[in-house]
């Protein structure tokens, strides 16, 4: 699971792998909802929209070792949209970085699972994040440092689409292109919603494809819930050299994906499910 | 020995020296390498130097990433941009995860001079001091900064070190001892203590001479580490001299004067006068003109010392 051997199937994702990943993503969604419901606080919509990509990353794409979280040659993942932490924590626990029971401590006093990712508190977390707009800069810095060390590790960073309203993102986009950080791959969780409503109504960010292209990036647009598209897109960075063009995957996703009555609704951005919603959601997910 | 030295110039030279033996050192700048003096590093170590262009927020985040990859980033730009423009990035990406990033901000205070308010920075010490994990240091001369840089390099964690555009007098001999968190008495005295940092240390030494001619014995303390501040030294000065004047090229709100008052008011209250910039924006002028204009001279420190002595006598 999730080691170098498991990630050699570039371009050829086996059907049995995909059905395994789908099942993992289903369990991840159950974990996400359970931990947020238990915390009675957290970001439901954006954690669910990221769940399939997070599953692909941690169970197929990333070269990492849960037994050695600080292994120097590992690929890095930075969750710039730090409010999606429940998805990341679920992935880390399901991979074995820590016990699944710990998920129930999310957002509680003295927990290792803070409301937003904390590199010093949680095994497997590579960067502190949560204040939007900063993660791509951090990923760039990691890639620069790894390159100086002569390592071939890939650095993945997940951005929210609303987050792209932060100017620092575009500063960092320039940096990655200027310094030819070919090992950097940004993933935009393009669910189209932010706290106050639709991204296009709050502050339009389109045309996204053209913007990233103009900033000098390789751009791919995919369905962020289809593993047959997600995996080759995310693995394409493995063929890049450390001095190539950086890559971005614009993943079209659905906020609240997997729970019919959450899907596509901005109001579930930052609220925990009620008891009734939780029961109903679990039923839908077969939990 | 030279009479004056620029702390920023010595920073640039020392960074190169340190980087020759420590390959983990990298440097970042935001299009001001000719002013911050990281250009010296860029020339000798082009592969380890990253000019980030005019984008300080991205620079701080990138430095965080480099530190997470095991590097020791020295990050430089003007103090107004390092501490001001990128404050939240410094807090979130560097200080909260306690990363090994050394921010060496140049052009601190008002002695940037002619560029005026937009480029002067009189709030940085206050806003850096309130960030947990952050060590805040201001060298008193071009000799001390060498030792400060060595100490910072040998101490894991985030640092904010302020340098100046203006050259100011050399106080210390080469190899002066510096310890993080320890102030130093640079002039013995018994009637009053003047606690200063940065270029105000040399002004305070001049003030002590002026006071001596009036029969007043002033102790002068170089408090180059603003945070963690040397509480023991402040309290022994309060006990032994019974009156304190602070002097800084910074707003009177939030910096050294505030920090000293916090310590003594909770532990051993004695009269204090603060020398610093009043709650105001300054204006363009030469560094020397501005120090005169805003009351940051030896004569101002001496006058404040006499005032606080009157208070001290009144209390007796």
């Amino acid at each position: 699971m999730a080691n170098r051997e498991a990630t050699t199937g570039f371009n050829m994702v086996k059907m049995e792998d995909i059905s395994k990943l789908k099942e993992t993503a289903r369990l991840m969604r159950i974990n996400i909802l359970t931990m947020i419901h238990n915390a009675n606080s957290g970001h439901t919509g954006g954690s669910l929209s990221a769940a399939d990509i997070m599953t692909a990353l941690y169970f197929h794409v990333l070269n990492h070792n849960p037994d050695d979280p600080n292994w120097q040659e590992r690929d890095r993942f930075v969750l710039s949209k730090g409010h999606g932490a429940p998805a990341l924590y679920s992935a880390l626990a399901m991979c074995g970085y820590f016990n699944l029971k710990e998920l129930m401590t999310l957002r509680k006093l003295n927990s290792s699972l803070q409301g937003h990712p904390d590199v010093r508190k949680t095994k497997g977390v590579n960067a502190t994040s949560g204040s939007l707009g900063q993660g791509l800069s951090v990923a760039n810095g990691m890639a620069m440092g790894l390159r100086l060390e002569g390592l071939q590790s890939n650095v993945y960073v997940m951005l929210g689409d609303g987050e792209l309203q932060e100017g620092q993102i575009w500063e960092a986009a320039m940096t990655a292109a200027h310094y030819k950080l070919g090992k950097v791959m940004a993933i935009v969780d393009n669910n189209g919603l932010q706290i106050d409503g639709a991204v296009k109504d709050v502050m339009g960010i389109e045309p996204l494809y053209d913007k990233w292209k103009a900033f000098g990036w390789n751009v791919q647009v995919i369905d962020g819930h289809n593993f047959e598209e997600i995996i080759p897109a995310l693995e394409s960075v493995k063929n890049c050299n450390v001095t190539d063009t950086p890559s971005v995957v614009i993943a079209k996703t659905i906020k609240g994906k997997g729970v019919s009555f959450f899907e596509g609704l901005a109001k579930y951005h930052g609220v925990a499910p009620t008891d009734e919603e939780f029961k109903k959601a679990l039923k839908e997910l077969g939990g | 020995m030279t009479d004056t030295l620029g702390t920023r110039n010595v920073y640039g030279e020392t960074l190169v020296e340190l980087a020759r033996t420590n390959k983990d050192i990298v440097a970042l700048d935001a299009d001001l390498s000719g002013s911050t003096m990281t250009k010296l590093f860029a020339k000798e170590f082009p592969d380890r130097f990253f000019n980030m262009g005019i984008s300080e927020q991205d620079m701080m985040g990138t430095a965080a990433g480099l530190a997470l990859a095991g590097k020791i980033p020295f990050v430089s730009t003007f103090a107004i941009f390092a501490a001001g423009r990128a404050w939240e990035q410094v807090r979130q990406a560097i200080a909260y995860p306690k990363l090994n990033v050394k921010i060496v901000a140049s052009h601190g205070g008002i002695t940037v001079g002619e560029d005026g308010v937009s480029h002067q920075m009189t709030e940085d010490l206050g806003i850096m001091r309130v960030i947990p994990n952050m060590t805040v240091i201001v060298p008193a001369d071009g000799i001390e900064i060498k030792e400060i840089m060595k100490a910072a390099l040998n101490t894991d964690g985030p640092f904010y070190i302020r340098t100046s555009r203006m050259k100011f007098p050399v106080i210390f001999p080469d190899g002066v001892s510096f310890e993080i968190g320890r102030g130093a008495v640079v002039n013995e005295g018994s009637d009053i203590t003047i606690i200063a940092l940065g270029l105000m240390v040399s002004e305070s030494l001049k003030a002590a001479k002026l006071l001596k001619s009036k029969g007043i014995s002033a102790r002068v303390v170089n408090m180059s580490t603003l945070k963690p501040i040397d509480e023991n030294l402040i309290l022994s000065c309060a006990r032994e001299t019974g009156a304190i004047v602070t002097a800084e090229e910074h707003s009177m709100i939030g910096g050294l004067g505030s920090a000293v008052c916090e310590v003594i008011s909770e532990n051993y209250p004695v009269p204090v006068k603060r020398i610093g910039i009043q709650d105001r924006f300054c204006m363009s002028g030469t560094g020397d003109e501005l120090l005169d204009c805003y009351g940051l001279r030896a004569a101002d420190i001496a006058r404040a010392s006499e005032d606080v002595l009157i208070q001290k006598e009144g209390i007796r």
Side-chain angles (χ1 to χ4, degrees):
Chain A
M1 176 182 79
N3 56 22
R4 199 179 283 279
E5 284 71 37
T7 59
T8 50
F10 177 59
N11 281 343
M12 287 280 287
V13 195
K14 287 185 235 148
M15 277 319 291
E16 65 213 60
D17 285 345
I18 287 180
S19 65
K20 251 191 245 170
L21 288 171
K22 278 184 180 167
E23 174 59 10
T24 304
R26 184 183 71 85
L27 296 174
M28 184 182 289
R29 288 193 162 88
I30 291 171
N31 284 333
I32 289 168
L33 286 169
T34 308
M35 65 198 289
I36 296 177
H37 176 251
N38 182 65
N40 196 25
S41 160
H43 296 79
T44 305
S47 298
L48 292 173
S49 68
D52 294 309
I53 295 163
M54 207 69 80
T55 299
L57 279 168
Y58 277 88
F59 290 89
H60 199 94
V61 175
L62 287 179
N63 186 23
H64 66 134
N65 182 359
D67 295 328
D68 186 7
N70 298 318
W71 176 41
Q72 206 194 4
E73 288 173 40
R74 73 192 186 280
D75 291 334
R76 268 66 167 180
F77 174 69
V78 176
L79 184 64
S80 189
K81 49 164 280 183
H83 54 279
L88 175 60
Y89 296 156
S90 298
L92 293 172
M94 291 164 76
C95 282
Y97 281 92
F98 48 85
N99 197 300
L100 276 167
K101 274 189 262 175
E102 266 192 58
L103 296 179
M104 291 301 111
T105 67
L106 173 73
R107 291 183 168 235
K108 306 267 191 204
L109 198 61
N110 295 320
S111 171
S112 63
L113 304 183
Q114 295 291 295
H116 292 81
D118 183 332
V119 70
R120 294 183 87 85
K121 288 201 165 75
T122 314
K123 263 191 199 162
V125 166
N126 291 306
T128 295
S129 60
S131 172
L132 296 177
Q134 301 189 25
L136 183 53
S137 304
V138 175
N140 287 342
M142 283 178 177
M144 289 168 168
L146 294 168
R147 180 162 73 187
L148 283 172
E149 291 296 308
L151 296 172
Q152 292 289 321
S153 308
N154 303 299
V155 183
Y156 293 88
V157 52
M158 183 183 279
L159 311 168
D161 48 6
E163 181 178 12
L164 302 182
Q165 292 157 355
E166 288 282 4
Q168 187 184 342
I169 292 287
W170 303 101
E171 295 180 4
M174 280 189 274
T175 297
H178 180 83
Y179 282 105
K180 299 195 186 316
L181 302 178
K183 287 297 183 186
V184 168
M185 172 168 273
I187 305 155
V188 179
D189 183 14
N190 192 190
N191 62 37
L193 296 173
Q194 58 191 108
I195 301 180
D196 274 357
V199 174
K200 67 178 168 47
D201 296 331
V202 176
M203 177 53 65
I205 55 170
E206 292 294 341
L208 265 195
Y209 180 93
D210 294 345
K211 276 200 177 82
W212 285 102
K213 263 283 176 229
F215 276 78
W217 286 57
N218 292 323
V219 192
Q220 300 176 73
V221 180
I222 63 160
D223 174 350
H225 299 303
N226 179 348
F227 289 108
E228 284 171 78
E229 293 188 29
I230 295 170
I231 286 169
L234 297 187
E235 295 206 323
S236 64
V237 70
K238 296 186 177 184
N239 295 338
C240 289
N241 196 278
V242 290
T243 55
D244 282 348
T245 303
S247 307
V248 59
V249 172
I250 299 170
K252 300 279 186 194
T253 58
I254 294 167
K255 196 130 176 169
K257 172 74 178 176
V259 180
S260 63
F261 50 94
F262 288 163
E263 286 187 4
L265 295 175
K267 70 171 181 174
Y268 289 106
H269 173 94
V271 294
T274 62
D275 290 346
E276 197 181 325
E277 287 169 339
F278 178 56
K279 272 184 214 154
K280 218 170 130 191
L282 282 191
K283 208 172 205 180
E284 278 197 18
L285 288 164
Chain B
M1 186 189 282
T2 5
D3 291 331
T4 61
L5 265 181
T7 46
R8 63 178 168 131
N9 305 76
V10 179
Y11 162 60
E13 292 158 10
T14 310
L15 186 60
V16 171
E17 278 172 37
L18 295 174
R20 282 184 188 137
T21 50
N22 189 328
K23 70 171 181 56
D24 286 333
I25 292 178
V26 295
L28 296 89
D29 206 303
D31 194 41
L32 288 168
S33 64
S35 300
T36 63
M37 301 311 286
T38 60
K39 68 174 179 188
L40 304 175
F41 183 98
K43 197 174 167 206
E44 186 157 337
F45 305 104
D47 296 344
R48 287 151 64 184
F49 175 76
F50 300 102
N51 198 326
M52 302 303 295
I54 307 161
S55 60
E56 296 78 15
Q57 301 171 26
D58 180 41
M59 176 165 72
M60 292 303 173
T62 306
L66 279 156
L68 285 164
K71 298 295 164 188
I72 308 170
F74 279 72
V75 187
S76 292
T77 180
F78 288 5
I80 182 70
F81 309 128
R85 176 72 65 102
W87 185 86
E88 202 252 354
Q89 281 75 9
V90 171
R91 175 188 184 270
Q92 170 75 14
I94 294 171
Y96 171 32
K98 212 175 177 182
L99 298 182
N100 200 15
V101 176
K102 318 301 177 188
I103 300 163
V104 184
S106 73
H107 295 58
I110 50 171
T111 50
V112 184
E114 294 86 339
D115 278 336
V117 176
S118 62
H119 287 60
Q120 294 166 350
M121 185 31 142
T122 52
E123 303 92 24
D124 55 340
L125 303 180
I127 61 180
M128 284 291 126
R129 187 168 76 90
V130 294
I131 303 177
N133 295 337
M134 186 62 80
T135 297
V136 181
I137 305 182
V138 188
D141 74 359
I143 302 298
E144 195 185 27
I145 188 164
K146 278 191 221 172
E147 306 308 316
I148 288 171
M149 287 175 66
K150 288 179 203 163
L153 184 59
N154 291 327
T155 309
D156 193 63
F159 277 65
Y160 180 81
I161 300 168
R162 182 212 249 198
T163 65
S164 293
R165 179 189 185 200
M166 203 165 85
K167 291 184 176 178
F168 44 85
V170 171
I171 304 169
F172 302 120
D174 260 326
V176 62
S177 77
F178 169 81
E179 201 181 321
I180 294 163
R182 295 292 293 274
V185 175
V186 290
N187 188 67
E188 287 295 348
S190 53
D191 295 331
I192 181 173
T193 304
I194 303 167
I195 302 177
L197 49 63
L199 79 84
M200 297 305 281
V201 176
S202 65
E203 288 295 326
S204 299
L205 287 168
K206 284 183 216 162
K209 276 188 189 154
L210 292 175
L211 290 165
K212 195 178 178 187
S213 69
K214 293 185 172 182
I216 298 167
S217 166
R219 180 181 296 180
V220 178
V221 167
N222 171 26
M223 194 60 78
S224 35
T225 310
L226 176 61
K227 187 189 176 188
I229 203 160
D230 191 341
E231 296 197 8
N232 291 336
L233 180 58
I234 293 170
L235 290 175
S236 65
C237 290
R239 274 192 294 268
E240 288 160 22
T241 66
I244 289 176
V245 170
T246 62
E248 62 196 308
E249 187 194 352
H250 184 270
S251 169
M252 286 173 67
I253 301 171
L256 175 69
S258 298
V260 168
C261 287
E262 286 159 16
V263 173
I264 67 163
S265 63
E266 281 193 346
N267 299 285
Y268 194 89
V270 296
V272 180
K273 287 274 178 203
R274 292 170 295 151
I275 290 292
I277 294 154
Q278 305 286 334
D279 183 21
R280 62 178 299 170
F281 291 112
C282 299
M283 58 184 172
S284 294
T286 67
D288 280 317
E289 285 169 346
L290 293 169
L291 291 172
D292 289 339
C293 179
Y294 295 104
L296 302 180
R297 287 302 199 184
D300 302 297
I301 298 168
R303 206 174 305 120
S305 301
E306 290 182 70
D307 288 350
V308 80
L309 266 179
I310 292 167
Q311 277 188 319
K312 173 183 161 183
E313 296 307 320
I315 285 166
R316 278 179 186 168

